[in-house]
Amino acid sequence: MSNKRKRFMLAEEEIPRYWYNIQADMANKPLPPLNPATHEPLKPEDLYPIFAEELCRQELNQTDEWIEIPEPVREMYKYYRSTPLVRAYGLEEALGTPAHIYFKNESVSPMGSHKLNSALAQAYYCKQEGVTNVTTETGAGQWGAALSYAARLFGLEAAVYQVKISYEQKPYRRSIMQTYGAQVTPSPSMSTRAGKDILTVNPNYQGSLGTAISEAIELARTTPNCKYTLGSVLSHVSLHQTVIGLEAEKQMELAGEYPDMIIACFGGGSNFGGIAFPFMRHTILEGKQTRYIAAEPASCPKLTRGKFHYDFGDEAGYTPLLPMFTLGHNFAPAHIHAGGLRYHGAGVIVSQLLKDKLMEAVDIQQLESFEAGCLFARAEGIIPAPESCHAIAATIREAKKCKETGEEKVILFNLSGHGLIDMASYDKYLAGDLVNYELSDQEIEKNLEEIDKL
Ligand SMILES: *Cc1c(COP(=O)(O)O)cnc(C)c1O
């Protein structure tokens, strides 16, 4: 046996007791969300009708650097945390790179992705505040599955709107949600005004996250004791996800290295923020030189080709106006197989960080992402989620650069989930049936003009 260590784990006592709130340390704080009617900055109370109150306070908290993880949530974290930090020797060898590649394996949660880290917290606060029902939207079904399970654990009823194309393409995620006892409705549906408005104009509309969000918010607003929950984009979601990076920080210490680059795929920014923010704390406070790279799909390029502007978080315009990098709330992303990345905007924290050049973004085409996923699967044994394949593709690009220059850079990426329930997508890739999507500048401009009027 060589003494090369493959996996770095933490004992249960070392699971973090606090989440890290990067807003407290940012020199330029995110701009406030605005009431769309009055354009007044939002106060936490304005969000109480939609979200659990504690989550509203966390959302707008720009002063407390550390927020205590409630004990019942930490107890549930023990079911699957810490997640392993793994040195990707297999991938390094396959690439012939001198880079040291590490990944944080969030695919080991019972749901197969990082989403449970926030679902547990959100369900807990809802229960604490006397809520009985929760609702949400889901694309590929990762968030819906996580919320369904968390709701079950804390004794809440869950109603999930699933983007119609995913409801049809990913039947097993629907079964998972139903196994945990959730009600699942394909979106757009005729059960909400938002859904009806879209279906009467376009009966064949295959749905989008933006539409499903509108439906879930409408249900929460019109149902007593029902709160809405969101699996990404919002600041309190990335707050909860910082358990990933806080663990990784300790685990990298065990490995005796510090990352030069941190890479994650990007849908709304929660797994990226989760792994990056605790390290970025050292960049902000101590000037530590680390690159933070978000990998988004070329077909939904809000970070690389979108605009920093106030926009709605959903299609129907039910949310507050959020200052974010966006493609416009009417942008309809192509039906790529990484459903969790098909969202028009980015969270307000990451948007501010990108604007301030504290982080970078790259875009990845669908074929490159699956090619990277297959290479990783063959080298490390884990079949990555189509979303996570984007992080792997960006990692491979950087590792190849190291091969050219001979530099032994340390790269840490987040494996946000496994792809074992996404094999229909791999089937299509292996059969040569997947394509890249080219987005013209005109297509992007069209939706951006709309938001100039907001
Ligand atoms: C939802 C999801 C994502 C994208 O969401 P973020 O909030 O950007 O992290 C990425 N990977 C997996 C596996 C997901 O389920």
Side-chain angles (χ1 to χ4, degrees):
M1 281 271 292
S2 83
N3 56 8
K4 293 200 300 190
R5 238 177 113 179
K6 176 73 177 163
R7 299 199 321 158
F8 301 87
M9 302 295 293
L10 300 175
E12 276 182 14
E13 310 80 72
E14 288 183 275
I15 297 172
R17 291 177 188 280
Y18 294 85
W19 293 302
Y20 170 57
N21 178 18
I22 194 172
Q23 295 197 70
D25 290 330
M26 290 167 71
N28 299 328
K29 311 282 185 211
L31 300 171
L34 301 180
N35 178 320
T38 62
H39 280 221
E40 287 293 317
L42 232 54
K43 294 186 287 296
E45 305 86 270
D46 299 326
L47 294 168
Y48 288 177
I50 300 177
F51 298 103
E53 295 180 7
E54 176 57 24
L55 296 171
C56 304
R57 290 189 287 271
Q58 291 179 359
E59 186 64 25
L60 299 176
N61 186 333
Q62 299 193 327
T63 46
D64 300 316
E65 193 184 22
W66 300 99
I67 292 177
E68 193 165 6
I69 303 174
E71 205 44 47
V73 174
R74 211 170 155 271
E75 277 306 308
M76 292 315 303
Y77 280 172
K78 286 185 191 165
Y79 278 57
Y80 62 100
R81 311 203 67 86
S82 66
T83 62
L85 177 83
V86 185
R87 173 85 183 261
Y89 290 114
L91 183 62
E92 290 172 18
E93 199 179 301
L95 296 169
T97 177
H100 295 189
I101 304 175
Y102 293 83
F103 64 92
K104 181 74 168 151
N105 187 0
E106 288 297 304
S107 83
V108 302
S109 97
M111 294 307 113
S113 83
H114 67 288
K115 294 280 195 323
L116 196 55
N117 299 330
S118 184
L120 290 169
Q122 295 190 42
Y124 167 78
Y125 289 121
C126 284
K127 184 66 183 179
Q128 279 294 99
E129 295 174 20
V131 170
T132 54
N133 293 59
V134 286
T135 182
T136 195
E137 75 296 320
T138 197
Q142 294 269 25
W143 168 246
L147 184 76
S148 300
Y149 169 58
R152 182 58 39 200
L153 282 174
F154 289 104
L156 303 162
E157 289 298 321
V160 181
Y161 290 92
Q162 185 172 21
V163 177
K164 193 190 281 171
I165 188 162
S166 308
Y167 184 89
E168 283 157 10
Q169 278 181 353
K170 313 222 161 176
Y172 294 128
R173 283 262 166 62
R174 168 173 50 72
S175 326
I176 292 171
M177 291 185 265
Q178 290 167 335
T179 299
Y180 294 123
Q183 274 189 37
V184 189
T185 308
S187 164
S189 77
M190 293 299 275
S191 69
T192 62
R193 201 214 75 204
K196 276 183 228 167
D197 282 355
I198 289 162
L199 281 177
T200 46
V201 175
N202 184 355
N204 293 323
Y205 189 54
Q206 290 297 291
S208 72
L209 279 175
T211 308
I213 293 174
S214 300
E215 291 206 271
I217 293 181
E218 191 177 324
L219 183 74
R221 272 185 176 171
T222 53
T223 313
N225 256 331
C226 176
K227 295 288 179 191
Y228 171 66
T229 64
L230 188 59
S232 181
V233 185
L234 293 175
S235 303
H236 66 260
V237 183
S238 43
L239 171 75
H240 305 149
Q241 293 296 352
T242 57
V243 285
I244 303 173
L246 291 166
E247 284 180 4
E249 218 185 319
K250 291 186 189 167
Q251 290 164 308
M252 287 299 305
E253 252 172 60
L254 294 178
E257 303 213 79
Y258 194 90
D260 297 301
M261 281 173 252
I262 295 178
I263 300 177
C265 68
F266 196 99
S270 78
N271 94 90
F272 173 82
I275 192 154
F277 292 171
F279 290 93
M280 214 180 267
R281 179 169 175 266
H282 302 293
T283 301
I284 297 173
L285 301 180
E286 301 144 34
K288 196 112 187 160
Q289 295 292 311
T290 308
R291 289 174 60 203
Y292 306 92
I293 306 171
E296 66 180 3
S299 57
C300 198
K302 57 239 163 195
L303 300 176
T304 51
R305 295 172 73 189
K307 180 156 89 173
F308 185 82
H309 201 279
Y310 272 99
D311 193 10
F312 290 111
D314 69 323
E315 172 131 22
Y318 288 163
T319 69
L321 288 172
L322 302 168
M324 56 172 164
F325 275 91
T326 177
L327 294 163
H329 60 280
N330 287 318
F331 179 82
H335 295 299
I336 53 162
H337 284 260
L341 308 184
R342 293 180 66 243
Y343 181 70
H344 68 272
V348 301
I349 297 176
V350 276
S351 292
Q352 187 64 45
L353 294 170
L354 183 67
K355 193 159 168 272
D356 291 341
K357 301 196 162 51
L358 270 150
M359 58 176 276
E360 312 160 39
V362 292
D363 63 334
I364 308 278
Q365 280 286 5
Q366 181 157 253
L367 292 179
E368 183 182 347
S369 74
F370 276 99
E371 188 188 343
C374 288
L375 181 72
F376 180 79
R378 289 165 193 179
E380 295 289 333
I382 303 168
I383 297 185
E387 290 85 3
S388 315
C389 290
H390 292 73
I392 298 170
T395 299
I396 291 175
R397 284 187 191 175
E398 292 298 332
K400 283 183 174 166
K401 282 185 212 160
C402 290
K403 189 175 177 178
E404 277 164 30
T405 60
E407 286 174 296
E408 272 186 31
K409 292 254 163 83
V410 178
I411 308 175
L412 167 63
F413 78 87
N414 196 31
L415 184 72
S416 54
H418 70 65
L420 291 176
I421 308 164
D422 302 287
M423 294 317 292
S425 305
Y426 275 88
D427 256 0
K428 288 217 169 96
Y429 171 71
L430 294 170
D433 289 342
L434 289 194
V435 292
N436 287 335
Y437 292 91
E438 301 295 341
L439 254 184
S440 70
D441 289 341
Q442 291 92 307
E443 269 172 278
I444 290 185
E445 274 308 312
K446 190 177 68 194
N447 289 292
L448 289 180
E449 277 165 21
E450 292 280 306
I451 60 172
D452 281 340
K453 300 176 211 139
L454 293 175

